[in-house]
Amino acid sequence: EGATSSSSESSLKRELGSLDLIFFGIGGVVGAGVFVLTGAAAQVHAGPAVVISYLLATITSLITATAYTEFAIQIPVTGSAYNYIALTFGEYIAFITGCNLALELTIAGAAVARGFTSYFSTLIGQSPNALRFVVYESLIEIDVVAFLLVGVLTVLLVVGMKETAKFNIAVTSAALLSVAFVLITGSTSVDEENSKPFVHPEFGFRGILSGASMVFFAFVGFDTVATLAEETKKARRDLPIGILGSLTICGCLYCFMALVITGMVHYTEINVDAPFAVAFDNNHEHWASVVVSVGAVFAITTSLLSSLMGQPRVYMTMSRDGLLPEWFAQVSPRFGTPANASIFTGVTTGLLALVVDIDILAQLVSIGTLSIFLSVNMGLL
């Protein structure tokens, strides 16, 4: 029903090409996780063999991505997983999927916005919590910077997808330049002795699998590309390029980053919170750690943009099917974007980011994400 009802309202503007989709995919996937998650996975789970963990996670993600791609080609309308589940398992399961998507994107977006404040604060020489006002420790911490960032990106999304795409390409390019800088500069400090033994007896293959399950969530975000099907010029050609292309690029970058950090520092000495920044600091290259922090700020911005972009399109499709009020399905005549749904997403995400310390809730997001991926794969079968 969701696939056939899209003509009943004014259509979204088809302004995106394959390059736009690739950058949206990369921006959604390469969040702050690339600068943080690698260290934790290496130290706790896999040691130097964390690169194999990333390789396994890349392959696993690509399998799910091909399912998304198959559906996106056959049903090139907005809504992504919600639409796919509605057509295969019916509206009830689709409604649960839509709620899971709302949980994933709204809470994750708020968590990412608060992460921006932490990195930005350290970048200007303050402690991570310096820009927040603590009302109740680890529960209510007022974060005005995160709220304002959500507001600015929401306005950008309402104004138009072409403008958003240009902004995303610029910011994602800056994040990728930072990653390239880390790879080039860090590779000059690699010591082969730090990577021995490659597969540590303490961890073994079980540790590699545990590491893969942990870093798998560094790949979440590619599914946002599928929500842009209705705004893509040549959906059947560009969607596979955008989804699979962005995921492959991110997988390669992650593997190289893992090789560099485990080569720069012995896995037992990797700083879990800021592995690359601390590694450069320990090598007396403070300027390099600043570049890493700048890259993390850019990466967080693109990751937040991805969450704020995907959620309104899910609300819009659910509204078209009568599961949400018609207000959510209205497209702005001036901008050709789902303005109402975007504003609602911006307000809910912004308020969460403003008030709540949601580290615990952010961990619950993974449950919803896994159930969505499982449903899409089962739906394709």
Side-chain angles (χ1 to χ4, degrees):
E1 185 179 341
T4 57
S5 63
S6 59
S7 59
S8 60
E9 286 84 19
S10 55
S11 298
L12 297 166
K13 288 184 179 179
R14 292 189 178 274
E15 297 183 317
L16 304 176
S18 55
L19 184 66
D20 297 318
L21 296 183
I22 286 174
F23 272 89
F24 274 125
I26 294 173
V29 173
V30 180
V34 68
F35 296 101
V36 178
L37 212 55
T38 311
Q43 190 185 85
V44 180
H45 294 291
V50 69
V51 64
I52 301 178
S53 298
Y54 269 111
L55 192 59
L56 289 174
T58 302
I59 294 168
T60 306
S61 300
L62 280 169
I63 291 170
T64 299
T66 53
Y68 270 88
T69 303
E70 183 77 17
F71 270 124
I73 291 171
Q74 293 186 35
I75 314 164
V77 294
T78 194
S80 184
Y82 165 79
N83 256 331
Y84 312 153
I85 303 306
L87 288 166
T88 49
F89 295 117
E91 253 183 12
Y92 176 70
I93 303 299
F95 180 74
I96 295 173
T97 300
C99 292
N100 271 332
L101 281 167
L103 177 76
E104 172 194 340
L105 295 171
T106 304
I107 294 177
V112 165
R114 292 179 73 88
F116 176 92
T117 305
S118 298
Y119 271 97
F120 182 75
S121 185
T122 56
L123 196 58
I124 59 175
Q126 303 293 319
S127 67
N129 262 335
L131 299 179
R132 297 191 183 103
F133 176 68
V134 179
V135 177
Y136 192 89
E137 189 72 37
S138 298
L139 182 62
I140 300 175
E141 298 177 357
I142 306 299
D143 192 332
V144 177
V145 175
F147 181 78
L148 291 175
L149 178 65
V150 171
V152 169
L153 294 182
T154 299
V155 170
L156 185 65
L157 284 164
V158 169
V159 167
M161 279 308 298
K162 200 61 187 174
E163 292 76 10
T164 304
K166 290 176 182 176
F167 173 81
N168 182 69
I169 288 175
V171 178
T172 303
S173 296
L176 288 177
L177 283 173
S178 178
V179 171
F181 167 84
V182 169
L183 292 176
I184 295 168
T185 310
S187 62
T188 62
S189 303
V190 167
D191 182 354
E192 289 184 15
E193 290 300 315
N194 288 329
S195 300
K196 296 178 181 177
F198 184 67
V199 180
H200 198 281
E202 181 187 344
F203 299 130
F205 188 64
R206 181 190 291 266
I208 293 173
L209 287 179
S210 296
S213 67
M214 181 180 186
V215 301
F216 172 75
F217 294 104
F219 292 88
V220 172
F222 68 84
D223 49 327
T224 304
V225 177
T227 68
L228 301 174
E230 211 170 306
E231 291 154 278
T232 304
K233 293 174 185 174
K234 298 179 180 178
R236 293 180 185 275
R237 185 199 70 180
D238 294 340
L239 283 170
I241 296 172
I243 295 172
L244 300 178
S246 59
L247 201 53
T248 302
I249 291 168
C250 290
C252 292
L253 289 175
Y254 283 165
C255 288
F256 285 129
M257 291 282 274
L259 283 172
V260 167
I261 191 62
T262 53
M264 287 179 70
V265 186
H266 193 268
Y267 79 92
T268 57
E269 299 172 3
I270 293 175
N271 181 284
V272 174
D273 295 319
F276 291 96
V278 173
F280 282 123
D281 269 336
N282 291 343
N283 284 344
H284 307 292
E285 296 174 303
H286 178 67
W287 59 272
S289 70
V290 172
V291 175
V292 171
S293 296
V294 171
V297 166
F298 283 126
I300 287 171
T301 303
T302 60
S303 183
L304 175 58
L305 184 67
S306 177
S307 294
L308 292 173
M309 179 178 60
Q311 186 54 52
R313 284 146 183 83
V314 176
Y315 285 144
M316 183 180 183
T317 310
M318 292 176 73
S319 173
R320 286 173 172 176
D321 287 351
L323 299 179
L324 288 176
E326 289 183 12
W327 182 82
F328 285 95
Q330 292 174 11
V331 175
S332 166
R334 180 179 176 185
F335 301 118
T337 59
N340 291 351
S342 294
I343 292 168
F344 180 80
T345 300
V347 170
T348 52
T349 305
L351 289 176
L352 272 175
L354 175 68
V355 177
V356 187
D357 182 6
I358 49 176
D359 288 344
I360 296 172
L361 285 174
Q363 294 172 28
L364 298 177
V365 172
S366 59
I367 299 171
T369 305
L370 277 177
S371 69
I372 293 165
F373 286 178
L374 177 65
S375 299
V376 170
N377 281 296
M378 289 176 65
L380 186 64
L381 293 174

